[in-house]
Amino acid sequence: MSDDSHQHNGHEQVPSRQRRRFPGISSRAYEHPADRSALVALRKLSGFDTVFKALSGLLPERSLRLLFLSDSVRVSDRQFSHLNDMLRDACYILDLEKVPPMYVNQDPQPNAMCIGLDEPIIVVTTGLVELLDEEEMRAVVGHEVGHALSGHSVYRTILLFLTNLALRVAWIPLGNVAIMAIVTALREWFRKSELSADRAGLLVGQDQQASMRGLMKLAGGNHLHEMNVDAFLEQADEYEAGGDLRDSVLKILNVLPRTHPFATVRAAELKKWAASRDYQRIMDGHYPRRTEDKDTSVTDSFRESASSYAGHVKSSKDPLMKLVTDIAGGAGDLGSRVRRGFSGFASSGSAGTDGSDSGSGNSSGPKGSTGASDAPPKDQPPRDED
């Protein structure tokens, strides 16, 4: 249990609310199956981290750390002490031995990130600090500590710099294609890693409503009296089940440029996990330990990931996922269903032949939803939002 009498790395006086602590917990306990299988495979490769970090030495990480040190406020007992308490408590609950440095950066956008190659650092913006209440902010701090415990900061840093690099070499056709292929693959993993970190945030805050409110505020701003968590979750159900095959394809195109899943999807995924037996077992003290990580089977991890995806497809209300299930089950008359599902594309495509907007090439998402939105502006540190 977390209480106000423990000592962690020489610091005392953490928040007094009683919370369960998870000594020696492995990140495998809360990682999304897709995220976990990828990381286990990478960790099993002999010398992978050494080679990866050697190649990563080309990146200006030292410059980035100096930038935050010189132009942000470092959280400590004397600066943003309430955030310092949350950070120490989150590290104590997840049993992270070394507390990562945290900075508050002046930015009205509500963002947070955990980056770094050799050692992770956590950065939160003033927009986020001002948006969330104490319990909501505690979940976010736990989210970032979860990234640190999982070792996500290395891959997240690479993704941020590669995204920025892709913009700079866009004029080189083949070079840009090669980089964007890597970026697209990393983004797919990154989106799954966010679902893992959301779970870590819940384990730290141990307040499901606060976690839900935080995600809702990221979507709708600081108007809590005008919003409702249940109604927000209903949006996730409507998003999952609504429309036809055209909408399913558009959902995929909309999410491809993003590093994060949509807020309603994150809330629904977290609620589902919080109601699962896996979460209850962790809260009861039954979870994988870090001492067991070296014995983890890659095959078992991939098998669990495949099982998770199969279960998701089978239970999904999405029209495309239903079609996949029917194909697997040998359902008849699939051809006519596919034609009906995509019939709208033909009509909308014919409208474009009149010279309206058919050559715009912006079918990948709504206005403003482009790959460039995930990249940091020139001469600014890379940012990411949680």
Side-chain angles (χ1 to χ4, degrees), residues 345-368:
F345 276 125
S347 59
S348 62
S350 62
T353 59
D354 296 332
S356 53
D357 286 318
S358 60
S360 64
N362 289 330
S363 62
S364 63
K367 183 178 180 181

Side-chain angles (χ1 to χ4, degrees), residues 282-360:
I282 295 175
M283 296 304 295
D284 290 341
H286 305 294
Y287 51 81
R289 262 64 175 182
R290 292 198 285 274
T291 54
E292 304 165 353
D293 283 350
K294 63 181 182 299
D295 301 320
T296 304
S297 167
V298 177
T299 302
D300 291 344
S301 295
F302 276 110
R303 186 181 296 116
E304 184 177 353
S305 178
S307 176
S308 174
Y309 272 122
H312 171 72
V313 171
K314 187 175 182 179
S315 62
S316 176
K317 302 175 184 177
D318 183 86
L320 182 59
M321 294 298 101
K322 286 183 178 180
L323 180 62
V324 171
T325 302
D326 288 344
I327 292 174
D333 196 28
L334 290 175
S336 61
R337 289 180 58 187
V338 172
R339 286 194 297 272
R340 287 197 303 271
F342 286 99
S343 60
F345 276 125
S347 59
S348 62
S350 62
T353 59
D354 296 332
S356 53
D357 286 318
S358 60
S360 64

Side-chain angles (χ1 to χ4, degrees), residues 70-197:
S70 63
D71 205 34
S72 300
V73 175
R74 183 164 56 191
V75 172
S76 67
D77 289 330
R78 296 181 296 166
Q79 300 187 123
F80 290 100
S81 59
H82 71 293
L83 293 180
N84 197 41
D85 288 341
M86 291 181 193
L87 177 62
R88 292 200 310 268
D89 203 42
C91 292
Y92 181 74
I93 290 173
L94 294 181
D95 200 15
L96 186 63
E97 182 177 351
K98 186 173 182 180
V99 178
M102 175 188 280
Y103 294 91
V104 176
N105 184 42
Q106 170 61 30
D107 189 336
Q109 282 291 111
N111 294 322
M113 62 181 174
C114 178
I115 59 173
L117 304 177
D118 296 318
E119 294 183 357
I121 61 173
I122 296 173
V123 181
V124 298
T125 65
T126 52
L128 187 69
V129 175
E130 293 165 3
L131 176 66
L132 304 181
D133 67 26
E134 180 177 348
E135 294 304 308
E136 296 157 5
M137 192 68 198
R138 190 183 303 279
V140 169
V141 173
H143 175 114
E144 299 305 328
V145 170
H147 277 310
L149 181 59
S150 291
H152 290 164
S153 61
V154 174
Y155 312 107
R156 287 163 62 96
T157 305
I158 296 294
L159 174 59
L160 290 169
F161 278 103
L162 282 179
T163 303
N164 194 29
L165 180 61
L167 294 177
R168 295 182 179 181
V169 300
W171 60 277
I172 308 176
L174 293 180
N176 187 49
V177 168
I179 292 175
M180 286 310 299
I182 300 174
V183 168
T184 300
L186 278 171
R187 278 179 179 159
E188 173 60 22
W189 162 77
F190 199 176
R191 288 188 288 269
K192 297 300 185 293
S193 77
E194 286 302 303
L195 301 179
S196 298

